[in-house]
Amino acid sequence: MEKLGHVTRYPAGSILFGAGELTDFVLLVRHGHVKITTHSSEHIVAVRGPGETVGEMAAIGREPRSASVYALSEVEALYVPGDVWLEFLYEHPRVMRALLRHLHARLKEATRKQAEHGIIGAEQRLARGLVELAAKIGTPDERGVCVALNQRELAGLVGVSRESVSQVVKRLRAMGAVATGRQRIIITDEAILASVADGNTIS
Ligand SMILES: Nc1ncnc2c1ncn2[C@@H]1O[C@@H]2COP(=O)(O)O[C@H]2[C@H]1O
């Protein structure tokens, strides 16, 4: 893998590439996390981290970038030209299978989210989103596990309005599940949050 490209580093907050851009390189993330956004830099559709790739869609589909990608923290990635990456996939069926599995999981997740839309309330959806984010980008804080995203970003990621996020966060705070800080949410009680994520009502 290392021979396929070269290592690039991106400072926290910088853009790796923008939606609509006509580039086709693939980035294999080695350290740090990126956010994938559509519409605006705060409408997050996914977060990716070490061992994951970004930019594979332009290489596969030969189309402009479907979304923008920003570094959430300092990021180190292997930069691989699109044609080199495709050639590597053709020559390595196991890697191709891993990619197909990943795309399958993404499609299943998108279908699940779409099916749940309107059925699962904002509270459960946000709690689920926070549980997933804590596992992926959470960092320990003296009060719990910190997720460094603001409420607008959470709203985009979970698919609820900014106003709903604000109301739900207030309720989760009253339950003792979370605390809030500047541009961040701290999960103070994982068990309560997990219970809300499972659909239980807590008063
Ligand atoms: N819904 C999504 N879920 C996860 N990753 C995505 C999603 N949409 C776009 N991406 C990633 O963001 C990248 C944007 O550039 P590409 O279209 O080349 O490839 C895209 C994928 O790697």
Coordinates of all heavy atoms in Angstrom, one line a residue, residues 137-203:
I137 N -15.1 9.3 17.5 CA -14.2 10.4 17.7 C -14.1 10.9 19.1 O -13.6 12.0 19.4 CB -14.5 11.6 16.7 CG1 -16.0 12.0 16.9 CG2 -14.2 11.2 15.3 CD1 -16.3 13.3 16.3
G138 N -14.7 10.2 20.1 CA -14.8 10.7 21.4 C -13.4 10.7 22.1 O -12.6 9.9 21.8
T139 N -13.2 11.8 22.9 CA -11.9 11.9 23.6 C -12.3 12.0 25.1 O -13.3 12.7 25.4 CB -11.1 13.1 23.2 OG1 -11.9 14.2 23.2 CG2 -10.5 12.9 21.8
P140 N -11.4 11.4 26.0 CA -11.8 11.5 27.4 C -11.7 13.0 27.9 O -10.8 13.7 27.5 CB -10.7 10.6 28.1 CG -9.9 10.0 27.0 CD -10.2 10.7 25.7
D141 N -12.6 13.3 28.8 CA -12.6 14.6 29.4 C -12.9 14.4 30.9 O -13.3 13.3 31.2 CB -13.9 15.3 28.7 CG -14.1 16.7 29.2 OD1 -14.7 16.8 30.3 OD2 -13.8 17.7 28.6
E142 N -12.6 15.4 31.7 CA -12.7 15.1 33.1 C -14.2 14.8 33.5 O -14.4 14.1 34.5 CB -12.1 16.2 34.0 CG -12.8 17.6 33.9 CD -12.2 18.4 32.8 OE1 -11.5 17.9 31.9 OE2 -12.6 19.6 32.8
R143 N -15.1 15.2 32.6 CA -16.5 14.9 33.0 C -17.1 13.7 32.3 O -18.2 13.3 32.5 CB -17.4 16.2 32.6 CG -17.2 17.3 33.5 CD -17.9 18.5 33.1 NE -17.4 19.1 31.9 CZ -18.0 20.1 31.2 NH1 -19.1 20.6 31.6 NH2 -17.4 20.6 30.1
G144 N -16.4 13.2 31.3 CA -16.9 12.0 30.5 C -16.2 11.9 29.2 O -15.0 12.2 29.1
V145 N -17.0 11.6 28.1 CA -16.4 11.4 26.8 C -16.8 12.6 25.9 O -18.0 12.9 25.8 CB -16.9 10.1 26.1 CG1 -16.3 10.0 24.7 CG2 -16.4 8.9 26.9
C146 N -15.8 13.3 25.4 CA -16.1 14.6 24.7 C -16.2 14.4 23.2 O -15.4 13.8 22.6 CB -15.0 15.5 25.0 SG -15.1 17.1 24.1
V147 N -17.3 14.9 22.6 CA -17.5 14.9 21.1 C -17.4 16.3 20.7 O -18.3 17.1 21.0 CB -18.9 14.2 20.7 CG1 -19.1 14.4 19.2 CG2 -18.9 12.8 21.1
A148 N -16.3 16.6 19.9 CA -16.1 18.0 19.6 C -16.8 18.5 18.3 O -16.2 18.7 17.3 CB -14.6 18.3 19.5
L149 N -18.1 18.5 18.3 CA -18.9 19.0 17.2 C -19.9 19.9 17.8 O -20.4 19.8 18.9 CB -19.7 17.8 16.5 CG -18.8 16.8 15.8 CD1 -19.8 15.7 15.2 CD2 -18.0 17.4 14.6
N150 N -20.3 20.9 17.0 CA -21.4 21.9 17.5 C -22.7 21.3 17.2 O -22.9 20.4 16.4 CB -21.1 23.3 17.0 CG -21.2 23.4 15.5 OD1 -22.1 22.7 14.9 ND2 -20.5 24.3 14.9
Q151 N -23.8 22.0 17.7 CA -25.1 21.5 17.5 C -25.6 21.6 16.1 O -26.4 20.7 15.7 CB -26.1 22.3 18.5 CG -25.7 22.0 19.9 CD -26.8 22.5 20.9 OE1 -27.9 22.9 20.5 NE2 -26.5 22.4 22.2
R152 N -25.1 22.5 15.3 CA -25.5 22.6 13.9 C -25.0 21.3 13.2 O -25.6 20.7 12.4 CB -25.0 23.9 13.3 CG -25.7 24.3 12.0 CD -25.2 25.6 11.6 NE -25.4 26.7 12.5 CZ -26.5 27.4 12.5 NH1 -27.5 27.1 11.7 NH2 -26.7 28.4 13.4
E153 N -23.7 21.0 13.5 CA -23.1 19.8 12.9 C -23.8 18.5 13.3 O -24.1 17.7 12.4 CB -21.6 19.7 13.3 CG -20.8 20.8 12.6 CD -19.3 20.8 13.1 OE1 -19.1 20.6 14.3 OE2 -18.4 21.1 12.3
L154 N -24.2 18.5 14.5 CA -24.9 17.3 15.0 C -26.3 17.2 14.3 O -26.7 16.1 13.9 CB -25.2 17.4 16.5 CG -24.0 17.1 17.4 CD1 -24.4 17.3 18.9 CD2 -23.6 15.6 17.3
A155 N -26.9 18.3 14.1 CA -28.2 18.3 13.4 C -28.1 17.7 12.0 O -28.9 16.9 11.6 CB -28.8 19.7 13.4
G156 N -27.1 18.2 11.3 CA -26.9 17.7 9.9 C -26.6 16.2 9.9 O -27.1 15.4 9.1
L157 N -25.8 15.8 10.8 CA -25.3 14.4 10.9 C -26.5 13.4 11.2 O -26.6 12.3 10.6 CB -24.2 14.2 11.9 CG -23.4 12.9 11.9 CD1 -22.9 12.6 10.6 CD2 -22.3 13.0 12.9
V158 N -27.3 13.9 12.1 CA -28.4 13.0 12.6 C -29.6 13.1 11.8 O -30.5 12.3 11.8 CB -28.6 13.3 14.1 CG1 -29.8 12.5 14.7 CG2 -27.4 13.0 14.9
G159 N -29.7 14.3 11.1 CA -30.9 14.5 10.2 C -32.1 15.0 11.0 O -33.2 14.7 10.7
V160 N -31.8 15.9 12.0 CA -32.9 16.6 12.7 C -32.7 18.1 12.6 O -31.5 18.5 12.3 CB -33.1 16.1 14.1 CG1 -33.4 14.6 14.2 CG2 -31.9 16.5 15.0
S161 N -33.7 18.9 12.9 CA -33.4 20.3 12.8 C -32.6 20.8 13.9 O -32.5 20.2 15.0 CB -34.8 21.1 12.8 OG -35.3 21.0 14.1
R162 N -32.0 22.0 13.7 CA -31.1 22.6 14.7 C -31.9 22.9 16.0 O -31.4 22.7 17.1 CB -30.5 23.9 14.1 CG -29.9 24.9 15.0 CD -28.5 24.4 15.4 NE -27.8 25.4 16.2 CZ -28.1 25.5 17.5 NH1 -29.1 24.8 18.1 NH2 -27.5 26.4 18.2
E163 N -33.1 23.3 15.8 CA -34.0 23.6 17.0 C -34.3 22.3 17.8 O -34.2 22.3 19.0 CB -35.3 24.2 16.5 CG -35.3 25.6 15.9 CD -34.6 25.6 14.6 OE1 -34.6 24.6 13.8 OE2 -33.9 26.6 14.2
S164 N -34.5 21.2 17.1 CA -34.8 19.9 17.8 C -33.5 19.5 18.6 O -33.7 19.0 19.7 CB -35.1 18.8 16.8 OG -36.3 19.1 16.2
V165 N -32.4 19.7 18.0 CA -31.1 19.3 18.7 C -31.0 20.1 20.0 O -30.8 19.5 21.0 CB -29.9 19.5 17.8 CG1 -28.6 19.4 18.6 CG2 -29.8 18.6 16.6
S166 N -31.3 21.4 19.9 CA -31.2 22.2 21.1 C -32.2 21.7 22.2 O -31.8 21.6 23.3 CB -31.5 23.6 20.6 OG -31.7 24.4 21.7
Q167 N -33.4 21.4 21.8 CA -34.4 20.9 22.8 C -34.0 19.6 23.3 O -34.0 19.3 24.6 CB -35.8 20.7 22.1 CG -36.5 22.1 21.9 CD -37.6 21.9 20.9 OE1 -38.1 20.8 20.6 NE2 -38.2 23.0 20.4
V168 N -33.5 18.7 22.5 CA -33.1 17.3 22.9 C -31.9 17.4 23.8 O -31.9 16.8 24.9 CB -32.9 16.4 21.7 CG1 -32.3 15.1 22.2 CG2 -34.1 16.1 20.9
V169 N -31.0 18.2 23.5 CA -29.8 18.4 24.3 C -30.2 18.9 25.7 O -29.6 18.4 26.7 CB -28.7 19.3 23.6 CG1 -27.6 19.7 24.6 CG2 -28.1 18.6 22.4
K170 N -31.1 19.8 25.7 CA -31.6 20.3 27.0 C -32.2 19.2 27.9 O -31.9 19.0 29.1 CB -32.7 21.4 26.8 CG -32.4 22.7 27.4 CD -33.5 23.7 27.2 CE -33.0 24.9 26.5 NZ -34.1 25.7 26.0
R171 N -33.0 18.3 27.2 CA -33.6 17.2 27.9 C -32.5 16.2 28.4 O -32.5 15.7 29.5 CB -34.6 16.5 27.1 CG -36.0 17.2 27.1 CD -37.1 16.2 26.7 NE -36.9 15.6 25.4 CZ -37.4 16.1 24.3 NH1 -37.9 17.3 24.3 NH2 -37.2 15.5 23.1
L172 N -31.5 15.9 27.5 CA -30.5 14.9 27.8 C -29.6 15.5 29.0 O -29.2 14.7 29.8 CB -29.6 14.6 26.6 CG -30.2 13.8 25.5 CD1 -29.3 13.7 24.3 CD2 -30.6 12.4 25.9
R173 N -29.5 16.8 29.0 CA -28.7 17.4 30.1 C -29.5 17.3 31.4 O -28.9 16.9 32.4 CB -28.5 18.9 29.7 CG -27.2 19.4 30.2 CD -26.8 20.7 29.6 NE -27.9 21.6 29.5 CZ -27.9 22.7 28.7 NH1 -26.9 23.0 27.9 NH2 -29.0 23.5 28.7
A174 N -30.8 17.5 31.3 CA -31.6 17.4 32.6 C -31.6 15.9 33.1 O -31.6 15.7 34.3 CB -33.0 17.8 32.3
M175 N -31.4 14.9 32.2 CA -31.4 13.5 32.6 C -30.0 13.2 33.2 O -29.8 12.1 33.8 CB -31.5 12.6 31.4 CG -32.9 12.6 30.8 SD -32.7 11.5 29.3 CE -34.2 12.1 28.4
G176 N -29.0 14.0 33.0 CA -27.7 13.8 33.4 C -26.8 13.0 32.4 O -25.7 12.5 32.7
A177 N -27.4 12.8 31.2 CA -26.7 12.0 30.2 C -25.6 12.8 29.5 O -24.5 12.2 29.2 CB -27.7 11.6 29.1
V178 N -25.8 14.1 29.3 CA -24.7 14.9 28.7 C -24.5 16.2 29.4 O -25.4 16.7 30.2 CB -25.1 15.2 27.2 CG1 -25.3 13.9 26.4 CG2 -26.2 16.2 27.1
A179 N -23.4 16.8 29.1 CA -23.1 18.2 29.5 C -22.7 18.9 28.3 O -22.3 18.3 27.3 CB -22.0 18.3 30.6
T180 N -22.8 20.2 28.2 CA -22.4 21.0 27.0 C -21.2 21.9 27.3 O -21.1 22.4 28.4 CB -23.6 21.8 26.4 OG1 -24.2 22.5 27.5 CG2 -24.6 20.8 25.8
G181 N -20.4 22.1 26.3 CA -19.3 23.0 26.4 C -19.3 23.8 25.1 O -20.1 23.6 24.2
R182 N -18.3 24.6 24.9 CA -18.2 25.4 23.7 C -17.9 24.5 22.5 O -16.8 23.8 22.5 CB -17.0 26.4 23.9 CG -17.3 27.7 23.2 CD -16.3 28.8 23.4 NE -16.3 29.7 22.3 CZ -15.4 29.5 21.3 NH1 -14.6 28.6 21.3 NH2 -15.5 30.3 20.3
Q183 N -18.8 24.5 21.5 CA -18.6 23.6 20.3 C -18.4 22.2 20.6 O -17.7 21.5 19.9 CB -17.4 24.1 19.5 CG -17.4 25.6 19.2 CD -18.2 25.9 17.9 OE1 -18.2 25.2 16.9 NE2 -19.0 27.0 18.0
R184 N -19.0 21.7 21.7 CA -18.8 20.3 22.1 C -19.9 19.8 23.0 O -20.6 20.6 23.7 CB -17.4 20.1 22.8 CG -17.2 20.8 24.1 CD -15.7 20.9 24.4 NE -15.0 21.4 23.3 CZ -13.9 20.8 22.8 NH1 -13.5 19.7 23.3 NH2 -13.3 21.4 21.8
I185 N -20.0 18.5 23.0 CA -21.0 17.8 23.9 C -20.2 16.8 24.7 O -19.4 16.0 24.1 CB -22.1 17.2 23.1 CG1 -23.0 18.3 22.6 CG2 -22.9 16.2 24.0 CD1 -24.4 17.9 22.2
I186 N -20.4 16.7 26.0 CA -19.7 15.7 26.8 C -20.7 14.7 27.3 O -21.7 15.1 27.9 CB -19.0 16.4 28.0 CG1 -18.0 17.5 27.5 CG2 -18.2 15.3 28.8 CD1 -18.4 18.8 27.7
I187 N -20.4 13.4 27.0 CA -21.3 12.4 27.5 C -20.9 12.0 28.9 O -19.9 11.4 29.1 CB -21.2 11.1 26.5 CG1 -21.8 11.6 25.1 CG2 -22.1 10.0 27.0 CD1 -21.2 10.9 24.0
T188 N -21.8 12.4 29.8 CA -21.4 12.2 31.2 C -22.0 10.9 31.8 O -21.5 10.4 32.8 CB -22.0 13.4 32.1 OG1 -23.4 13.6 31.6 CG2 -21.2 14.7 31.8
D189 N -23.0 10.3 31.1 CA -23.5 9.0 31.6 C -23.9 8.2 30.4 O -24.9 8.4 29.8 CB -24.8 9.2 32.5 CG -25.1 8.0 33.2 OD1 -25.0 6.9 32.6 OD2 -25.5 8.0 34.4
E190 N -22.9 7.3 30.0 CA -23.1 6.5 28.8 C -24.3 5.6 28.9 O -25.0 5.3 27.9 CB -21.8 5.7 28.5 CG -20.7 6.6 28.1 CD -19.4 5.8 27.7 OE1 -19.6 4.8 27.0 OE2 -18.4 6.2 28.2
A191 N -24.6 5.1 30.1 CA -25.7 4.1 30.3 C -27.0 4.8 30.0 O -27.9 4.2 29.3 CB -25.7 3.5 31.7
I192 N -27.2 6.0 30.5 CA -28.5 6.7 30.2 C -28.6 7.0 28.7 O -29.7 6.8 28.1 CB -28.6 8.0 31.0 CG1 -28.6 7.7 32.5 CG2 -29.8 8.8 30.7 CD1 -28.6 9.0 33.4
L193 N -27.5 7.5 28.1 CA -27.6 7.8 26.7 C -27.9 6.5 25.9 O -28.7 6.6 25.0 CB -26.2 8.4 26.3 CG -26.3 9.1 24.9 CD1 -27.2 10.3 24.9 CD2 -24.9 9.4 24.5
A194 N -27.3 5.4 26.2 CA -27.5 4.2 25.5 C -28.9 3.7 25.6 O -29.5 3.2 24.7 CB -26.5 3.1 26.0
S195 N -29.5 4.0 26.8 CA -30.9 3.6 27.0 C -31.8 4.4 26.2 O -32.8 3.9 25.6 CB -31.2 3.8 28.5 OG -32.5 3.4 28.8
V196 N -31.5 5.7 26.1 CA -32.4 6.6 25.2 C -32.2 6.2 23.8 O -33.1 6.1 23.0 CB -32.0 8.1 25.4 CG1 -32.7 9.0 24.4 CG2 -32.2 8.5 26.8
A197 N -30.9 5.8 23.4 CA -30.6 5.4 22.0 C -31.4 4.1 21.7 O -31.8 3.9 20.5 CB -29.1 5.1 21.8
D198 N -31.7 3.3 22.7 CA -32.5 2.1 22.5 C -34.0 2.3 22.4 O -34.8 1.4 22.2 CB -32.2 1.0 23.6 CG -30.9 0.4 23.4 OD1 -30.3 0.4 22.3 OD2 -30.3 -0.2 24.4
G199 N -34.4 3.6 22.7 CA -35.8 3.9 22.6 C -36.5 4.0 23.9 O -37.7 4.1 23.9
N200 N -35.8 3.9 25.0 CA -36.5 4.0 26.3 C -36.8 5.4 26.7 O -36.0 6.3 26.3 CB -35.6 3.3 27.4 CG -35.3 1.9 27.1 OD1 -36.3 1.1 26.7 ND2 -34.1 1.4 27.2
T201 N -37.8 5.6 27.3 CA -38.2 6.9 27.8 C -37.7 7.1 29.2 O -38.0 6.3 30.1 CB -39.7 7.1 27.7 OG1 -40.2 6.5 26.6 CG2 -40.1 8.6 27.7
I202 N -37.0 8.2 29.4 CA -36.5 8.4 30.8 C -37.0 9.8 31.2 O -37.0 10.8 30.4 CB -34.9 8.4 30.7 CG1 -34.5 7.0 30.5 CG2 -34.3 8.9 32.1 CD1 -33.1 6.9 30.0
S203 N -37.5 9.9 32.4 CA -38.0 11.2 32.9 C -37.1 11.7 34.0 O -36.3 11.0 34.5 CB -39.4 11.1 33.3 OG -39.5 10.0 34.2

